[in-house]
Amino acid sequence: MNVLIVGSGGREHAIAYCVAKSEKADKIYCTPGNAGIAQYAECAPIGAMEFDKIVAFAREKEIGLVIVGMDDPLVGGLVDELEAAGIRAFGPRKEAAILEGSKAFSKDLMKKYKIPTASYENFTDADKALAYLETAKFPIVLKADGLALGKGVLICSDLEEAREGVKAIMQDKKFGDAGQKMVIEEFMAGREVSVLSFVDGDTIRTMTSAQDHKRAKDGDTGLNTGGMGTFSPSPFYTKEVEEFCNKYIYQATVDAMKAEGRPFKGVIFFGLMLTEEGPKVLEYNARFGDPEAQVVLPRMKNDIIEVMEACIDGTLDKIDLQFEDNAAVCVVLASDGYPVSYEKGFPVTGLEEFEKHEGCYCFHAGTKLDGGQIVTNGGRVLGVTAKGKDLKEARANAYAAAEWVQFDNKYMRRDIGKAIDEAWPRP
Ligand code: AMP
Ligand code: GLY
């Protein structure tokens, strides 16, 4: 069948890599795609929010499966529009993508169904939020309700900072409409783990675990970014943690969505915090993580199209999801200055090295073709992923591969996966 992938980041490149390996895929298309995805797919310059054009394109190209990678079109209802036009699509419908699209919704869901998470209050009125802060404990966490490119979360250490935060979100609308509503929640200390899962409305199959590094600078300092690197599996995601999450979080979330009349089909990304009181949900996303997908998908043994079709058809219980017994590390090569301001348009060299090394991948995030030359075109430019027999080897391989690639103003964190040293050997 012909497959269309919607998105343009490193995550969509990792998805395209898996689709290209599938026996079931004939021609692959991507809208809008990037210079790396173009290796596997014919890219068309259609924006991810141009629903009518995507539907028309899918019809014209006789697409048998559309894979929606990004949050905005999922929350906006692209899957609904495709289905209405009789086109098969992988990803949650609008009514289910709200799990990511509204933090207030997801917090209320967790409270109603007793899924462990930080305690919280929702607010639609800035004065009430400000009054609530007067008796709150610090640090405290403020979240704009809607999608805000992963930037709508503020961790405030005192009352003054929190007041400023409420004003920024609700009055100055720093995160746009995402700040019509907000959540104020308890700060949780602990280690973060990301667990992605396939869901068919009833059945859930979790993938191998991963950990992201969200801050721009070494030692988890600097501004929050979309993610500067990942490793998989997380040595902190022990059998006990997994059992707890199986019992109280994963199936409970799927069942809760079904009970609410919002059956979820697609990928649920569980952002977990491993606290002293046990694992709790930090957030849900309704899609693969970026750059989690870049370390999880290359380790997946299954045919991705088979798994996605099982999600659509409600037959995921027949799928035995399997991952390689190894590890992967992804180091993001960014433009210096990201996430604030940076120059782009610099030629990228050294990419051919990846063809010579099995188990090493260069997933493009912000690149484009300029007269036959690949040039930088974003804050996060490339995600260099390498596998290894264990995390240490994968990390050494990823940092070696990161040196193959050159472009002006190249910047990377040097400590991706460093925390794994504390947890060695893998439990
Ligand atoms: P989110 O977009 O909800 O994942 O939040 C972004 C990041 O903020 C998370 O990955 C955490 O590092 C941090 N964060 C969010 N909520 C909390 C919380 N309740 N306690 C501590 N850190 C948090
Ligand atoms: N890496 C975090 C996210 O995709 O939201």
Side-chain angles (χ1 to χ4, degrees):
M1 71 174 81
N2 294 341
V3 179
L4 168 63
I5 301 165
V6 177
S8 61
R11 164 184 51 212
E12 285 75 26
H13 192 172
I15 294 170
Y17 160 76
C18 288
V19 171
K21 278 198 309 190
S22 168
E23 305 255 315
K24 297 187 141 197
D26 295 320
K27 190 138 174 62
I28 309 171
Y29 297 89
C30 189
T31 52
N34 64 35
I37 295 172
Q39 259 178 275
Y40 308 111
E42 188 177 316
C43 297
I46 301 174
M49 295 307 286
E50 296 184 288
F51 293 1
D52 291 348
K53 286 190 188 168
I54 293 172
V55 170
F57 184 81
R59 277 217 179 98
E60 180 198 323
K61 302 296 183 188
E62 298 178 346
I63 301 293
L65 175 67
V66 180
I67 303 167
V68 185
M70 294 169 70
D71 46 2
D72 280 324
L74 287 168
V75 171
L78 176 56
V79 168
D80 308 57
E81 304 244 340
L82 288 162
E83 286 180 350
I87 300 161
R88 269 160 83 79
F90 176 78
R93 293 180 187 155
K94 186 174 181 167
E95 64 187 11
I98 190 174
L99 193 59
E100 170 166 7
S102 166
K103 292 194 193 285
F105 169 87
S106 72
K107 294 297 293 188
D108 287 347
L109 185 87
M110 288 186 267
K111 188 191 235 172
K112 182 167 171 191
Y113 293 92
K114 301 194 167 51
I115 297 167
T117 189
S119 57
Y120 73 102
E121 291 285 337
N122 294 337
F123 295 93
T124 48
D125 181 298
D127 290 332
K128 290 205 175 121
L130 289 167
Y132 175 84
L133 291 177
E134 297 296 327
T135 55
K137 271 204 277 174
F138 294 90
I140 203 160
V141 183
L142 312 183
K143 300 185 173 184
D145 178 55
L147 295 181
L149 298 168
K151 298 191 181 81
V153 175
L154 305 175
I155 296 173
C156 303
S157 48
D158 56 35
L159 180 59
E160 203 41 48
E161 217 182 297
R163 279 186 185 136
E164 290 303 314
V166 168
K167 284 182 193 141
I169 293 173
M170 297 200 88
Q171 289 172 341
D172 305 341
K173 293 272 156 55
K174 203 172 150 211
F175 307 106
D177 284 346
Q180 299 280 23
K181 252 193 213 172
M182 70 178 291
V183 177
I184 301 186
E185 75 174 24
E186 165 205 7
F187 174 82
M188 296 189 282
R191 188 168 285 284
E192 283 184 50
V193 178
S194 302
V195 176
L196 315 183
S197 64
F198 289 103
V199 182
D200 75 355
D202 286 299
T203 300
I204 176 162
R205 291 274 186 269
T206 52
M207 298 177 225
T208 182
S209 61
Q211 186 181 320
D212 191 7
H213 299 64
K214 286 209 165 85
R215 302 294 200 95
K217 300 256 151 78
D218 284 10
D220 289 327
T221 57
L223 294 172
N224 252 323
T225 70
M228 293 301 292
T230 35
F231 58 84
S232 170
S234 165
F236 307 98
Y237 188 69
T238 58
K239 273 269 160 277
E240 293 74 53
V241 172
E242 186 177 13
E243 273 164 25
F244 181 96
C245 297
N246 280 335
K247 203 162 161 193
Y248 298 108
I249 296 178
Y250 301 143
Q251 189 68 49
T253 301
V254 176
D255 293 347
M257 289 300 281
K258 191 176 173 192
E260 290 297 304
R262 300 171 182 273
F264 192 105
K265 292 184 174 204
V267 170
I268 299 182
F269 167 147
F270 296 86
L272 303 171
M273 185 70 96
L274 309 183
T275 75
E276 276 180 358
E277 296 162 20
K280 294 187 183 182
V281 178
L282 268 173
E283 62 158 350
Y284 294 115
N285 294 313
R287 51 171 174 82
F288 289 98
D290 188 342
E292 282 87 347
Q294 291 90 313
V295 285
V296 168
L297 290 179
R299 299 184 53 227
M300 188 169 83
K301 291 186 185 172
N302 302 68
D303 180 318
I304 197 168
I305 295 187
E306 246 170 51
V307 181
M308 289 179 166
E309 292 208 290
C311 290
I312 297 171
D313 296 335
T315 55
L316 192 59
D317 58 331
K318 307 279 188 315
I319 298 277
D320 178 16
L321 201 60
Q322 292 200 351
F323 288 82
E324 293 168 1
D325 184 21
N326 56 10
V329 169
C330 173
V331 177
V332 169
L333 307 186
S335 303
D336 197 12
Y338 171 72
V340 182
S341 65
Y342 46 83
E343 286 181 74
K344 44 193 197 182
F346 298 116
V348 181
T349 59
L351 295 170
E352 64 287 350
E353 278 303 307
F354 288 86
E355 281 151 37
K356 301 179 205 157
H357 294 83
E358 207 176 313
C360 293
Y361 312 81
C362 189
F363 296 118
H364 293 224
T367 61
K368 68 169 186 185
L369 272 170
D370 185 5
Q373 167 71 54
I374 293 180
V375 301
T376 65
N377 190 40
R380 290 191 293 175
V381 178
L382 301 164
V384 171
T385 295
K387 290 187 203 171
K389 67 176 186 304
D390 54 31
L391 284 163
K392 278 194 169 174
E393 189 181 283
R395 185 168 139 219
N397 291 345
Y399 274 104
E403 296 302 329
W404 302 338
V405 184
Q406 297 304 331
F407 54 88
D408 283 359
N409 81 352
K410 171 179 151 189
Y411 169 79
M412 67 179 127
R413 270 183 65 163
R414 297 275 168 189
D415 64 345
I416 302 301
K418 199 159 172 231
I420 59 188
D421 296 344
E422 298 162 26
W424 207 254
R426 183 161 139 201

